[in-house]
Amino acid sequence: KDKDKDKDEQLTQREKSYPPAPQKSFLESILPSPMGLAGMLLKPLASLVGSMFEGARGDVEAVLELARAAVRRSGRFGAAAECGPVLGQSYASSSFNGKKSARVQLQFQVSGDGRAGMATCTATIDDSGARLDDLRVDGHSVDLSQTGPGASSGGVIDVER
């Protein structure tokens, strides 16, 4: 029993040796902590960045599909040529007077007809769609005269008279 009493007295003395917790002012109680404020500011920013990455991914896929169609039309890797995976990419977008545009550069593998190669392409994306500006496979330029909005993957452009 004496031991219990001594422990209680020691606890009481320890409690007295610590200063009391400071009381929050009214202003401190209604404003968020600095970390809470930072979190409130960063959450919308993270959401915006996430949506930008999602848009860029869609643009890269559109450019890769145009490159696939151009490589197939060229005949170098056959009609079943495949493009990918993407090994490197550069993406820059801008918005000027409400008009959005993006510039995409890709480096990717090309395979088909039992062989493989490396390709690079540059494309522009705007309100009218994606357009290949340059496509090279193993350093050789690929004809792009039938790519872009309005061109089909079969190499035929429909024209009304």
Side-chain angles (χ1 to χ4, degrees), residues 73-103:
R73 274 193 308 279
S74 76
R76 291 185 190 175
F77 291 85
E82 286 300 323
C83 295
V86 174
L87 303 173
Q89 71 181 44
S90 171
Y91 184 89
S93 64
S94 64
S95 179
F96 187 72
N97 287 339
K99 294 189 178 199
K100 295 179 182 179
S101 67
R103 185 98 167 136

Side-chain angles (χ1 to χ4, degrees), residues 7-113:
K7 285 182 183 178
D8 288 342
E9 286 177 15
Q10 287 176 353
L11 286 174
T12 305
Q13 286 181 352
R14 272 194 223 144
E15 290 171 357
K16 289 179 184 177
S17 67
Y18 289 114
Q23 296 295 319
K24 288 185 177 183
S25 70
F26 173 73
L27 194 57
E28 289 174 327
S29 66
I30 62 170
L31 290 177
S33 69
M35 293 304 288
L37 184 61
M40 288 178 2
L41 293 173
L42 290 177
K43 189 175 181 180
L45 181 63
S47 175
L48 176 67
V49 169
S51 66
M52 287 171 52
F53 279 127
E54 191 173 309
R57 186 174 1 150
D59 290 345
V60 166
E61 288 299 319
V63 170
L64 198 58
E65 184 57 39
L66 286 175
R68 180 180 297 115
V71 167
R72 287 178 177 174
R73 274 193 308 279
S74 76
R76 291 185 190 175
F77 291 85
E82 286 300 323
C83 295
V86 174
L87 303 173
Q89 71 181 44
S90 171
Y91 184 89
S93 64
S94 64
S95 179
F96 187 72
N97 287 339
K99 294 189 178 199
K100 295 179 182 179
S101 67
R103 185 98 167 136
V104 179
Q105 294 177 322
L106 301 177
Q107 295 85 38
F108 53 92
Q109 289 182 321
V110 178
S111 61
D113 280 351

Side-chain angles (χ1 to χ4, degrees), residues 66 124-133 144-152 156-158:
L66 286 175
T124 303
I125 300 167
D126 55 24
D127 294 335
S128 63
R131 177 181 66 254
L132 284 178
D133 299 323
L144 300 177
S145 61
Q146 297 178 357
T147 62
S152 69
V156 177
I157 301 175
D158 293 329

